[in-house]
Amino acid sequence: MNRAGRHFLQIPGPTNVPDRILRAIDRATIDHRSAEFAELGHACLTGIQSIFQAKSPVIIFPASGTGAWEAAIVNTLNPGDKVLTFETGHFAMLWAKMGRSLGLCVDMVPGDWRHGVDAAQLAEKLAADSEHEIKAVMAVHNETSTAITSNIPTVRAALDAAKHPALLMVDAVSSLGAIDYRHDEWGVDVTIAGAQKGLMLPPGLGFNAISDKALCASIRSRFPRSYFRWIEMLENNEKGFFPYTPATNLLYGLRESIAMLQEESLPAVFARHARLAEATRRAVRGWGLEMVPLVPAEFSNAVTAVFVPDGFDEAALRTLILDRFNMSLGAGLGKLAGKAFRIGHLGSFNELMLMGTLSGVEMGLTLAGIPHQKGGVDAAIEYLTETAA
Ligand code: PLP
């Protein structure tokens, strides 16, 4: 294998960490009880609110997205509570499984992994719940396994129309910093996110953006919890500190990531992702391959999931591309294992990185003997050229 040049990390997270963030992290670790640290803490805690488009507090855990999922549950609910989830893909299933193992009664609306959350089905469930037994609605905004983005405002609208008091919890792990996400405006009670996707950081930070309603619920919640308890965190955060040793160097990186996203501006970040995603989809159509999502309005701007034709194995294709071209693509997850591979196009990413990625896929398809049409890469070049500012 030729290892010269850079590895292409085109999985949908962890994403490429830009040099600017690597440089920011590459500093001596400081005393996390010092005044210097408090400045860093304040900068991260206030800066990250702008990325969630939230005025309410955002809690930062030394954890992965999974830890932030658990924090959302154990701070707001009670063992035995009923929650409503949607089978949109692998991550929705994992979050539901976690809920069950924590003792929640999980009602999952079945899905085919090719559609996002159906607000009409949600409305039916809410209408049938006259006793308000459902305590939370849990939805994944960008389902990374299927490359489907659900419409969260329609979820909020269904809750409002039913005048249902359930908390709305949304996983924005692979949308934050890549696809427009508005914690306050969309009336989300807990938003869950992680460091290693749109924020362009190495893995290791988990986030909970919380509403006043979620904070009140956390005071009443009887779930046993300690490390993930919001209240201690919020008390310490007020002074720029954390109740335990924070991931100091990742916070240096987070401060830089926030600065980079603010310098580019969120609308420009989202437009960049949308354009690169559209170029990717044109390439896939050019190859004559089928995408996993069926509804264009739900196509993800962070990741594209592509079926290989029957009789071929996406894992073998990815192995070939890794061995031959030193590029990692996203694996098929859950019931898509072996069937669909994923092209990550989020985070610190530009046109030429995308063209390298798509060229690697096209060459890989040919070398793997996967039937496809020529011209996918050309279709992406044409679109990027036409839309070049
Ligand atoms: N939710 C979504 C949508 C994800 O894509 C992931 C990971 O890829 C997770 C949750 C779990 O996050 P982590 O792997 O950081 O624990």
Side-chain angles (χ1 to χ4, degrees):
M1 185 204 306
N2 176 9
R3 286 285 184 210
R6 295 191 89 143
H7 174 65
F8 267 58
L9 181 66
Q10 293 321 132
I11 58 175
T15 60
N16 296 288
V17 181
D19 290 347
R20 217 174 125 177
I21 291 185
L22 289 172
R23 297 292 84 82
I25 290 171
D26 180 13
R27 291 183 50 185
T29 303
I30 53 170
D31 173 7
H32 58 286
R33 313 271 181 217
S34 65
E36 187 186 353
F37 182 89
E39 263 178 48
L40 170 67
H42 276 307
C44 289
L45 289 160
T46 53
I48 194 66
Q49 289 173 296
S50 68
I51 310 301
F52 280 86
Q53 307 199 55
K55 293 211 164 49
S56 48
V58 179
I59 286 182
I60 308 173
F61 292 111
S64 79
T66 304
W69 268 349
E70 181 158 337
I73 291 173
V74 297
N75 276 287
T76 54
L77 299 171
N78 293 303
D81 275 356
K82 180 168 174 183
V83 297
L84 188 63
T85 69
F86 301 85
E87 187 196 349
T88 49
H90 182 66
F91 291 102
M93 302 285 280
L94 286 180
W95 198 13
K97 185 172 161 217
M98 169 186 276
R100 276 184 219 103
S101 61
L102 288 169
L104 297 178
C105 170
V106 178
D107 182 6
M108 179 176 269
V109 177
D112 62 358
W113 291 43
R114 303 194 73 179
H115 294 86
V117 174
D118 181 348
Q121 279 180 311
L122 168 62
E124 271 175 37
K125 286 276 183 188
L126 296 174
D129 183 35
S130 52
E131 300 296 314
H132 293 168
E133 280 176 9
I134 299 169
K135 299 301 175 203
V137 171
M138 292 158 58
V140 176
H141 181 220
N142 187 65
E143 181 44 86
T144 326
S145 61
T146 57
I148 290 172
T149 306
S150 286
N151 186 331
I152 300 302
T154 64
V155 173
R156 177 76 261 167
L159 279 159
D160 290 347
K163 296 196 170 45
H164 198 291
L167 292 166
L168 174 57
M169 298 200 204
V170 179
D171 171 330
V173 170
S174 60
S175 50
L176 190 80
I179 301 169
D180 197 3
Y181 184 83
R182 304 174 183 214
H183 173 84
D184 279 358
E185 192 182 314
W186 296 352
V188 180
D189 293 300
V190 189
T191 301
I192 293 92
Q196 74 275 22
K197 312 242 179 197
L199 293 178
M200 309 169 284
L201 293 164
L205 296 178
F207 303 87
N208 279 173
I210 58 183
S211 70
D212 288 346
K213 186 171 157 189
L215 192 55
C216 290
S218 83
I219 292 161
R220 290 191 308 269
S221 157
R222 294 186 312 275
F223 249 119
R225 62 199 183 277
S226 172
Y227 182 79
F228 284 129
R229 190 181 288 277
W230 284 346
I231 297 298
E232 271 97 324
M233 195 54 129
L234 290 171
E235 282 165 10
N236 280 264
N237 284 175
E238 257 180 44
K239 300 182 196 75
F241 294 125
F242 290 76
Y244 38 72
T245 313
T248 307
N249 289 57
L250 284 178
L251 295 177
Y252 288 139
L254 177 60
R255 182 169 58 184
E256 199 65 23
S257 151
I258 294 165
M260 288 174 73
L261 292 169
Q262 287 175 342
E263 281 164 27
E264 187 176 353
S265 89
L266 286 184
V269 169
F270 303 144
R272 171 168 56 83
H273 281 82
R275 183 165 166 264
L276 298 177
E278 177 57 25
T280 307
R281 293 189 287 263
R282 288 186 184 217
V284 175
R285 285 192 208 102
W287 294 322
L289 297 179
E290 189 183 353
M291 288 184 283
V292 173
L294 288 173
V295 180
E298 296 178 339
F299 288 163
S300 168
N301 287 336
V303 54
T304 298
V306 186
F307 283 114
V308 290
D310 283 347
F312 291 88
D313 178 12
E314 59 81 22
L317 172 69
R318 284 185 299 100
T319 304
L320 183 151
I321 291 174
L322 177 62
D323 289 348
R324 191 63 195 75
F325 303 116
N326 196 13
M327 174 162 75
S328 297
L329 293 168
L333 294 175
K335 67 181 189 188
L336 294 176
K339 297 194 173 122
F341 68 93
R342 295 169 303 146
I343 304 170
H345 35 76
L346 77 160
S348 176
F349 199 55
N350 63 26
E351 287 116 320
L352 296 190
M353 292 164 86
L354 177 64
M355 291 322 304
T357 302
L358 296 176
S359 300
V361 175
E362 190 164 311
M363 290 188 284
L365 290 168
T366 303
L367 292 177
I370 294 181
H372 67 285
Q373 298 156 20
K374 292 287 161 210
V377 165
D378 291 341
I381 290 181
E382 200 176 316
Y383 176 73
L384 289 178
T385 314
E386 270 169 17
T387 55

